[in-house]
Amino acid sequence: MFDMALPDLNLLIYLHLLIKYGNATKVAQAMGVSQPGVSAALKRLRAVLNDPVFVRTGGRMVPTPKAQAVHAQTAGTLEMWERLAEGELVFDPARTNRGYTLLASDYILHQMLAPLAGELARRAPGATLRVIPPNPYRRLQTVVKREADFAIGYYHEAPEELRVRRLFVESVVCVMRQSHPAARSFDLDAFVRYPHVGIASVAQGSYSATLERSLLERGIHRRLPLTVPSYLAVPSLLVETDYIALLPASLATSFAKQMPLQVHASPLELPALDVSILYHNNAQDDVSHQWFRQLTVEVVGMAGLRGMSERQV
């Protein structure tokens, strides 16, 4: 039985928006109230939770651990209620105007964006998709804090708030220019002797970190005179130098069709690159979320990417 003396449930909406925007002015605009009204709601939140709720760091309001815990347990319910209020009790992709936000690297965009955007436009013409680049310093916090609906990429250290569904797995190969001195006879000696261009990320748990750890465990030390943050920067670098690059096989094949590059199997076993879609636990039963996840799986199949399976962390 409900207690009619419960605290004002609107306070949860203020909490949700303050965490989303980290700024009282933006919350006031979203709620259609004055900034003093937001301040008053925050004061009531602090009294109800007996907690500071937010602390100011720089120009942003950062939630306390207790505020994050409350948000984690209620955000899914609030968003589901919003969907129900918008008439999405039964989700109809042909009629939805839902907006999705995806966190994805240039590699994922190169492999998947065109077919994904095409299918989304065909099946859900009113839906929108906003793609944002990964931030190596925040990593998956964008999804944890519901600033993005999904992340697609190589993530081996997912926070407990997220679910993981593997999309595909592919091998990593060696790529060089066609006129490279080692192009005719590429072996382990050439792998070690010639310089490499690295695709690096400062993020813990990234594929570049996994790759370097695997090589060092075998006593292999690559010469890396140049590292870049983007796969798409690599082809033109290879054409102009004696660099070797380790790239996902599908990406390497695509580059070799467009530029004078040669693809070789690696002379030693390299870690596989497995790509997953990650999303918040609270979105597991969101029907529009479920639809987009299934669409992504279908697009992977259409694109000819392989190794689909599912796991949860």
Side-chain angles (χ1 to χ4, degrees), residues 108-162:
I108 298 302
L109 299 186
H110 185 276
Q111 296 301 92
M112 293 182 58
L113 184 58
L116 180 59
E119 286 302 308
L120 186 66
R122 186 174 69 82
R123 303 187 196 187
T128 59
L129 176 62
R130 181 171 71 103
V131 182
I132 58 177
N135 181 327
Y137 298 100
R138 295 192 67 204
R139 227 164 125 65
L140 290 167
Q141 286 304 304
T142 308
V143 184
V144 170
K145 294 186 176 182
R146 312 301 293 273
E147 296 167 14
D149 296 293
F150 312 96
I152 297 180
Y154 177 97
Y155 294 102
H156 269 208
E157 297 179 12
E160 62 181 7
E161 297 94 337
L162 303 185

Side-chain angles (χ1 to χ4, degrees), residues 80 91 98 100 150 165 279 283-297:
M80 181 62 73
F91 180 70
R98 167 82 189 256
Y100 298 98
F150 312 96
R165 181 171 185 173
Y279 57 96
Q284 172 68 6
D285 297 324
D286 181 330
V287 289
S288 64
H289 226 268
Q290 292 173 342
W291 177 83
F292 189 92
R293 297 195 304 262
Q294 183 57 36
L295 175 66
T296 303
V297 171

Side-chain angles (χ1 to χ4, degrees), residues 19-306:
I19 288 178
K20 179 178 181 179
Y21 294 116
N23 181 288
T25 301
K26 291 182 179 179
V27 173
Q29 293 171 348
M31 291 290 289
V33 301
S34 65
Q35 191 163 338
V38 176
S39 298
L42 180 56
K43 184 177 180 180
R44 298 202 307 275
L45 260 174
R46 286 169 170 156
V48 168
L49 297 179
N50 191 27
D51 184 81
V53 185
F54 290 90
V55 294
R56 187 167 292 280
T57 301
R60 186 175 177 85
M61 300 173 68
V62 178
T64 63
K66 186 171 185 178
Q68 290 177 330
V70 172
H71 176 257
Q73 294 181 49
T74 58
T77 301
L78 288 173
E79 292 185 9
M80 181 62 73
W81 173 244
E82 184 179 17
R83 298 284 171 242
L84 294 176
E86 291 174 354
E88 290 194 4
L89 180 59
V90 176
F91 180 70
D92 182 357
R95 298 179 61 184
T96 187
N97 60 359
R98 167 82 189 256
Y100 298 98
T101 300
L102 171 65
L103 183 74
S105 68
D106 57 354
Y107 161 54
I108 298 302
L109 299 186
H110 185 276
Q111 296 301 92
M112 293 182 58
L113 184 58
L116 180 59
E119 286 302 308
L120 186 66
R122 186 174 69 82
R123 303 187 196 187
T128 59
L129 176 62
R130 181 171 71 103
V131 182
I132 58 177
N135 181 327
Y137 298 100
R138 295 192 67 204
R139 227 164 125 65
L140 290 167
Q141 286 304 304
T142 308
V143 184
V144 170
K145 294 186 176 182
R146 312 301 293 273
E147 296 167 14
D149 296 293
F150 312 96
I152 297 180
Y154 177 97
Y155 294 102
H156 269 208
E157 297 179 12
E160 62 181 7
E161 297 94 337
L162 303 185
R163 292 188 178 227
V164 182
R165 181 171 185 173
R166 181 176 289 171
L167 295 176
F168 62 90
V169 181
E170 68 172 325
S171 60
V172 173
V173 296
C174 302
V175 186
M176 63 194 70
R177 61 188 171 94
Q178 291 178 351
S179 57
H180 193 284
R184 292 188 177 183
S185 180
F186 183 68
D187 55 17
L188 183 57
D189 179 67
F191 181 96
V192 175
R193 179 161 28 101
Y194 287 97
H196 288 229
V197 55
I199 298 88
S201 170
V202 299
Q204 187 178 19
S206 64
Y207 181 77
S208 59
T210 300
L211 175 62
E212 293 307 319
R213 184 169 57 249
S214 174
L215 292 174
L216 289 175
E217 286 173 353
R218 302 177 191 193
I220 303 296
H221 297 270
R222 293 196 296 165
R223 285 200 293 131
L224 288 167
L226 176 65
T227 58
V228 295
S230 167
Y231 283 106
L232 301 186
V234 172
S236 58
L237 291 170
L238 296 181
V239 170
E240 298 296 331
T241 66
D242 284 342
Y243 291 158
I244 295 168
L246 304 182
L247 299 177
S250 57
L251 200 60
T253 301
S254 177
F255 289 158
K257 291 178 180 178
Q258 303 171 44
M259 304 183 76
L261 299 173
Q262 193 169 96
V263 179
H264 292 266
S266 172
L268 71 165
E269 185 177 356
L270 299 175
L273 182 68
D274 57 288
V275 172
S276 302
I277 183 169
L278 298 90
Y279 57 96
H280 202 285
N281 285 324
N282 290 341
Q284 172 68 6
D285 297 324
D286 181 330
V287 289
S288 64
H289 226 268
Q290 292 173 342
W291 177 83
F292 189 92
R293 297 195 304 262
Q294 183 57 36
L295 175 66
T296 303
V297 171
E298 292 177 20
V299 165
V300 165
M302 293 175 188
L305 298 169
R306 60 191 184 279

